[in-house]
Each structure stands twice: as C-alpha cells, then as structure tokens.
Amino acid sequence: FNFNDAALNPGWLAEMKDSKDMVPETEEYGITSFIYRARKPFNPTKLHEFMEAKKMNGVYRAKGFSWLATRNDVCFDWNQAGEVLDFEHGGNWFVTIPETQWAEEFEGLSAAAMEDIKKDYFGEYGDRRQELVFIGDKDKMNKDELTKQLNSCLINEEEMKWGPNGWEEKIEDPFIGFDGVEDDEMEEDEEDEDEDAVDNFLNDAE
C-alpha cells in the first residue's frame, strides 16, 4: 500500500472520503469497521509507544495515511494485519509538490483524481492528515477506545503552535534513522493474500 499509488485509484479515494463507517451489513458476519481521521500530526514518541504496546484489540486489518510531526513533508503508509504492522515512507504529501508537476510526477493521475486530492486540502497544511481504515471483530474492536488512544498520540494545542521547525527541534523521534516499523516475519505471499481480501471487502462496500 502506497499513498501516491492510492492517489491513482479513484475508488480508494472515494472510500476514504465518503464513508463514515464501512458497510454495516458486514456486522452480521462479526466484522465491523470505521475510519479514523484527524488534522493534527502524531507525536512520534507517543505513536511509537502506542504501536509497541500492541493495544489494538480485535483489529484484523488497517491501512491508510499518517502524518508525523517531525517528518512534516512525508506521508507514512500504515499497513497492518493483526499485530503485524508496517509503518513506512509512502512518498510526500501532495501539498509539497507544485500542482503543475503532478502530471509529470505521477503518471496516470487523472483530472478527476486531481480534483479529489485538492478536496482533501485544509488550511495551511494542505492534504496532511491522519486517515486510517480499521476493520475488526465487532465484539472486540472498540472504536471509541481506539479513537481515544490514537487521539492521545496527536500533538497538543501548545505543540501545534510550534510549527514544523519547532516540532523537529523539540520533539523526540524514535523513527529517526529508518523509514518505519517493519516486521520481517510477514511473508510476501501472506501480505498479498491479506491485501486482496481487504481490497475485495472495500470493493464490495462501494
């Protein structure tokens, strides 16, 4: 899963933008889902501690885009299957690239996709955001608790005033020195199978 690749897929963009919760009829099969959204960056230290604690009970699958305060220009890809989590550099946010260069930079980017991308712009930080789809057990995955935990990883109002330079200078970043958190035990074929299963789920939801 890659942020820039996802931008070429109008179906994925529409799913992320338009859905408040995923298809409710899936709950009859014991599956529920929701989309977490926020317009503040994560404090990398708090996010790293949250990931290490493995408190995402009942989550089968999660994927989406993340914004770290200390890596203001980078969109991180969050790709998770159970407790196995890949969190890695997924390219730069579109706001960091002049719009006149989009067509050259991203071959195949349609005019419709460009318009969808621009709709995600908000305030001075453009399309930077948290936007994560969580799919899990309807009895074990607690949306409110998971949302509370993710919110606690965001920078606070005082830190928000520091701006990108202040974030980089004042906030410790345990992700420095590597692109993200990867588990080498995730086999490629297992990851592909997982990806296909979730993509089919999302396609059925459209």
Side-chain angles (χ1 to χ4, degrees), residues 10-134:
W12 172 248
L13 285 170
E15 186 66 42
M16 293 287 280
K17 281 182 60 61
D18 299 336
S19 181
K20 293 181 180 178
D21 288 294
M22 307 289 278
V23 186
E25 53 265 31
T26 59
E27 293 194 8
E28 67 181 285
Y29 302 108
I31 297 172
T32 188
S33 50
F34 73 97
I35 300 178
Y36 174 79
R37 294 183 173 95
R39 285 286 180 169
K40 288 182 178 179
F42 283 130
N43 178 310
T45 299
K46 292 180 179 179
L47 181 65
H48 189 265
E49 291 173 352
F50 169 70
M51 289 176 170
E52 289 291 300
K54 296 185 177 181
K55 293 183 177 180
M56 290 176 274
N57 296 331
V59 174
Y60 295 147
R61 197 72 171 86
K63 67 177 181 177
F65 319 135
S66 281
W67 173 21
L68 283 187
T70 50
R71 314 287 187 89
N72 191 50
D73 288 347
V74 177
C75 173
F76 278 84
D77 291 338
W78 182 308
N79 194 358
Q80 177 180 353
E83 291 188 349
V84 180
L85 172 62
D86 288 343
F87 186 73
E88 54 194 359
H89 193 304
N92 285 0
W93 295 104
F94 279 92
V95 71
T96 67
I97 305 168
E99 190 177 333
T100 55
Q101 296 179 18
W102 286 4
E104 178 182 349
E105 192 80 17
F106 308 104
E107 184 178 352
L109 188 65
S110 68
M114 288 185 183
E115 289 304 311
D116 277 335
I117 290 164
K118 286 187 282 188
K119 289 176 184 177
D120 286 321
Y121 276 42
F122 181 81
E124 63 180 305
Y125 293 110
D127 58 328
R128 296 178 179 93
R129 65 197 187 276
Q130 318 298 346
E131 197 155 331
L132 303 166
V133 176
F134 288 92

Side-chain angles (χ1 to χ4, degrees), residues 179-198:
D179 285 338
V181 176
E182 284 191 335
D183 190 326
D184 292 333
E185 295 179 359
M186 175 181 274
E187 298 292 339
E188 184 175 346
D189 56 348
E190 181 181 351
E191 182 178 4
D192 290 342
E193 183 179 340
D194 241 20
E195 194 76 22
D196 290 340
V198 175

